[in-house]
Amino acid sequence: IIKLEGLFSDAFPKQNTTTEGGVINSGSKLKSKCGKCDRYMSHLLTMPPKMNCAFCNKNYDLPKNGTIKVYQNLICPRDNFELLLCSLGTGSKSFPLCPYCYNNTSIESLPKGLSCNLCTQPNCAHSVATNGIMAHSNNNNRCNGIMVLNPTSAPKWHLECNKCNYIIYLPEYTHKVTPIDNICATCGTKLLNFIFHQSKTPLENGQTIKQKVCICCDKTINQLCWDGLAKTTKPYQQKGKRNFKSKQSKPKNH
């Protein structure tokens, strides 16, 4: 019966789903593909919420807070599960995750809760190995995170620390920004390629493309960046060393 439910779940969506905790209202039309059987899983609004594969008879826990949606139909290269995007709200952080990696404690030797911005898989376009730009260093030694480019943050492109709620906003009117494999010889920051909007480019002579940019050492780009804190229930006081401006009430020294 469970396997038949998996086969027909798309054609006949159910209002109630039986889980390990009893019968609950699924309450969500969100579906994403299971990497093991290639059938669609259902989103269960339990606590914590889960993706349930009826065919495999398996539940995958999701983050307790935030809104979950399918992430551009992209697939995790580790296990073929469809990626999800967890958004913690307006002005807060968002990050992609794979339901299987998020629940598999054997991956990366990390505790349960491995999202893409913590994953070091080198051949994955969504991992910190690809989108990690620089270390988040500070004087309090309270965070040893990495500033990761959020690929879903357009048009307000920014980097997010994968351990705390610190954010670096990239220049306004950035149309697209892409990390490249090159590293700054001066400070070790991963370089970025920028494309700016043609009508509002900050570059001289109306240029819209600037390549191999270190946001710490390039004076033009650095002066156009600013920092802040994502909305969170646990405030974090940043004391870094970079030159990013703040659009908060008082400028901070970095």
Side-chain angles (χ1 to χ4, degrees), residues 149-160:
L149 175 67
N150 183 338
T152 68
S153 58
K156 296 182 179 180
W157 291 96
H158 59 262
L159 314 180
E160 299 175 352

Side-chain angles (χ1 to χ4, degrees), residues 81-154:
F81 275 72
E82 191 167 17
L83 297 182
L84 302 174
L85 183 69
C86 178
S87 175
L88 301 180
T90 303
S92 190
K93 297 168 62 174
S94 62
F95 53 88
L97 63 91
C98 163
Y100 183 79
C101 294
Y102 191 79
N103 287 268
N104 193 334
T105 57
S106 65
I107 297 177
E108 303 287 340
S109 300
L110 291 174
K112 183 177 177 180
L114 178 69
S115 54
C116 296
N117 61 2
L118 293 170
C119 175
T120 60
Q121 180 77 357
N123 64 341
C124 180
H126 324 294
S127 70
V128 67
T130 300
N131 295 317
I133 306 303
M134 65 185 190
H136 177 198
S137 57
N138 63 84
N139 298 330
N140 281 345
N141 295 320
R142 294 178 59 188
C143 177
N144 61 346
I146 295 176
M147 300 303 300
V148 182
L149 175 67
N150 183 338
T152 68
S153 58

Side-chain angles (χ1 to χ4, degrees), residues 37-82:
C37 66
D38 201 35
R39 292 176 174 84
Y40 282 98
M41 302 186 292
S42 298
H43 185 207
L44 306 183
L45 299 181
T46 54
M47 185 53 67
K50 309 174 188 295
M51 295 306 297
N52 169 261
C53 180
F55 188 86
C56 298
N57 193 25
K58 181 70 176 178
N59 286 332
Y60 299 95
D61 288 346
L62 298 174
K64 295 180 181 179
N65 300 317
T67 302
I68 300 292
K69 63 181 181 180
V70 174
Y71 182 41
Q72 301 176 4
N73 301 116
L74 299 173
I75 302 297
C76 176
R78 286 184 185 271
D79 46 50
N80 295 321
F81 275 72
E82 191 167 17

Side-chain angles (χ1 to χ4, degrees), residues 225-236:
C225 297
W226 70 95
D227 62 1
L229 299 176
K231 292 181 180 179
T232 177
T233 56
K234 295 181 179 180
Y236 174 81

Side-chain angles (χ1 to χ4, degrees), residues 117 128-129 131-139 141-149 159-164 166-168 183-184 187-191 214-216 227 236 238-244 254:
N117 61 2
V128 67
N131 295 317
I133 306 303
M134 65 185 190
H136 177 198
S137 57
N138 63 84
N139 298 330
N141 295 320
R142 294 178 59 188
C143 177
N144 61 346
I146 295 176
M147 300 303 300
V148 182
L149 175 67
L159 314 180
E160 299 175 352
C161 180
N162 63 0
K163 293 292 182 66
C164 74
Y166 181 59
I167 293 180
I168 296 173
I183 301 297
C184 177
C187 67
T189 297
K190 181 176 284 190
L191 303 185
C214 173
I215 63 171
C216 298
D227 62 1
Y236 174 81
Q238 160 67 14
K239 292 186 178 180
K241 61 180 181 179
R242 305 301 184 186
N243 297 321
F244 303 111
H254 294 273

